[in-house]
Structures are given as C-alpha cells and as structure tokens.
Amino acid sequence: DFIPESFIMPNEYVKFCQRYSELKDNGEDPIWICKPSDLSRGRKIFVFRDIGELTYDCNVVVQKYVDDPLLMFDHKFDLRIYVLVTSFQPLRVYMYRDMMVRFASETYDTSKLTNTLSHLTNTSLNKYAPTQGQNRPGIGAGCKWNFDQLKEYFCQRDVDFQPIWGRIDNIVNLTLLSIAPSIAHNPPCFELYGFDIIVDKNFKPWLLEVNFSPALGLDEDIDHAIKIPLVADMIDTLQIKGIDAGFTPQGVEDEATRKVYSSRTQPRNPTELTAAQAARSGVPLIYPVPRGFSRREEKEPKEPVPAPRGR
C-alpha cells in the first residue's frame, strides 16, 4: 500500500468510472490527477474533482491525488530519489546518498485546483514562476533543497526521518522486484531511475511515479552540488573503463563535463563493487542488502516518529 489508486486510460476508463461512482455514493469527493504516460516536465498534467473535467488525447494515468501532503512552510514538496540498477537478474540496486527536494512555488490550496504552481513540484514548471528568485520564508530563493537541508528541517522539529527513509528503501526495492522477472538479462546494460516520492501529513511516503533517464540539467547551484557528484559516483560504481587516466578536462567546453572529469577517481578494474566499496561511495547498495552493511550506515531508531506539529 504505497502507490495511490491509479487507472490507465483509455483501457481502464470504465473501471475508473465505476470507482468514481462508488466513492460518490459513499459521500466521498476525492481529488484526482491526470498525467500523460509519455510526456515529461509537467506537460498536460492537471488536477480535478469532477469526472466531466477529465479529457485527454493520449494515453494517461489517472491517479488518486494525495491531498493531505506534509507541508513545509505551507508549500507542497516531493522527493526525487536517484536509483541506479546495474542488473535485474539478479537484481542489484544502488541508491544515491543525496536527493532533490522539490517545492511548489505557491502555497498549497485545494480550493484552486487549476493553479499548477500550487500543486505540481516539477522544476520545469516552477523555475518559470513569477516568485522564482524571490526569498520565500523558510525555503529561500530557489525551488529545491538537498537531503541535508531536509534532515535539518526535520531535526529542528524533533522528527526522526530514518523510519521514513527505511520505508522509501522498501518502496524502491518492492517496485523493482515487481518488474525484475520481465526484464531480460543483459550484463552490459544499466539504468538510472528517478523515483518521485511524496510524504503525507502522517509521515507515510507514497510512490507517485518512476522516471527513466531523470533530468540532469544544471539550473541552480544546488543542481551542481547534487548532480555532478551523482554522475561521477555512478561512473565509478559502474567501473567504467576507457577514459584515459591522464586525461585533463582542459579544452572541454561544457563546464559540467569538466567537473565530472575532475571529480572522478582513477578508473578501476571492471568488477562489481563490494559492499564495503558501496558503503564508501555516493551510491550505496540497498538490494540485496549485504550482511554487516546497514542502509545509509545509520541504525534504525527505536522510538516511533512523533506526530507532526501542524502543517
């Protein structure tokens, strides 16, 4: 129970209509979100209550909207988790130590469902918001945080994030295990995924979607701080050879490429990382869980997560 109720259109339109009517008969009036299955960057996504507002001209996913999200400074946010899969058979999964915390540009308001800047956290939309660049109380001038900022926020409010992180680990593993049998064994291949997670006001994480080839563009300083080390650590984790150890980034025009080359360690033998190597890298192994290696090198807390202090 970690994925909001979802329907694939048009194949499951009748099934959705039946569920919609059932909820109406029970006195419920949930919010739904419609997302094209083959588009990115927030294009053609909209939120609605009335089934009469549901229109689409391509394959879409209609999903029950998580309308009680945990808010920070009255703004909605989600988590972009970077996951590297080097093999599906057997399944071998690495999760990057840092993450992207993405904020909506405007305060959360369910009475204005057409305001995408209040309900969508896609950076491709929010970076063009009128308030972008303005110093919003608590959040700052941009629309992104890193993992350290998120942990500090929770720590200041006496909330232990580790149980939530353990559940996110489980979500990633269970999601990939569900498709592993259908993926052909192909040793030379790998894939970087972007898992989008939202946390509700009860501190329960929900999987919204999984993105192939997540965006690695550098729009803000925080992108440089997260994504350049991500690419460098991914190259090291994959044990990629073929780059001259004596190569220098001088003459490379793209700044991001120079930084990746500069941050790379020397090429190693093309063997899989051991658990100890993974623990020291930026992308620790999370499945299968090596003996003696705990996720994120931190112990699970004994105390339960305290109740949130308001929204």
Side-chain angles (χ1 to χ4, degrees), residues 104-125:
S105 296
E106 299 186 10
T107 55
Y108 184 69
D109 187 354
T110 55
S111 68
K112 299 178 181 179
L113 298 183
T114 58
N115 184 0
T116 56
L117 297 180
S118 171
H119 295 280
L120 303 185
T121 60
N122 304 69
T123 302
S124 300
L125 295 175

Side-chain angles (χ1 to χ4, degrees), residues 15-16 66 97 119 141 151 171 204 219 225 228 236 242 281:
K15 184 178 178 181
F16 170 68
V66 180
R97 288 188 182 279
H119 295 280
K151 288 190 293 185
I171 287 174
K204 177 179 179 179
D219 297 316
I228 290 175
D236 283 339
S281 75

Side-chain angles (χ1 to χ4, degrees), residues 24-52:
K24 283 288 188 180
D25 293 341
N26 292 334
E28 299 180 47
D29 188 25
I31 301 174
W32 303 88
I33 184 168
C34 179
K35 301 183 285 187
S37 59
D38 58 351
L39 292 180
S40 60
R41 304 193 298 277
R43 290 174 293 175
K44 294 189 176 182
I45 297 179
F46 63 94
V47 183
F48 67 97
R49 286 187 188 271
D50 191 335
I51 196 172

Side-chain angles (χ1 to χ4, degrees), residues 297-309:
E297 303 178 308
E298 297 176 36
K299 296 181 180 179
E300 290 290 337
K302 295 181 180 180
E303 298 296 326
V305 176
R309 298 183 177 181

Side-chain angles (χ1 to χ4, degrees), residues 138-158:
I139 298 174
C143 57
K144 303 172 187 175
W145 277 6
N146 62 20
F147 191 30
D148 286 340
Q149 289 173 292
L150 180 67
K151 288 190 293 185
E152 182 181 358
Y153 173 87
F154 279 106
C155 182
Q156 291 174 350
R157 288 154 181 79
D158 298 324

Side-chain angles (χ1 to χ4, degrees), residues 246-262:
F247 175 83
T248 61
Q250 296 177 357
V252 178
E253 294 183 0
D254 180 63
E255 179 185 0
T257 304
R258 290 200 304 272
K259 288 183 178 180
V260 169
Y261 276 117
S262 299

Side-chain angles (χ1 to χ4, degrees), residues 97 147-148 151 160-163 165-166 169 279 284 292-301:
R97 288 188 182 279
F147 191 30
D148 286 340
K151 288 190 293 185
D160 194 336
F161 190 74
Q162 286 308 307
W165 190 253
D169 268 2
F293 171 60
S294 60
R295 296 185 177 99
R296 299 223 165 226
E297 303 178 308
E298 297 176 36
K299 296 181 180 179
E300 290 290 337

Side-chain angles (χ1 to χ4, degrees), residues 197-214:
I197 303 284
I198 192 169
V199 180
D200 68 22
K201 65 180 182 181
N202 296 315
F203 294 97
K204 177 179 179 179
W206 294 87
L207 175 63
L208 298 181
E209 61 186 45
V210 181
N211 299 272
F212 292 96
S213 303

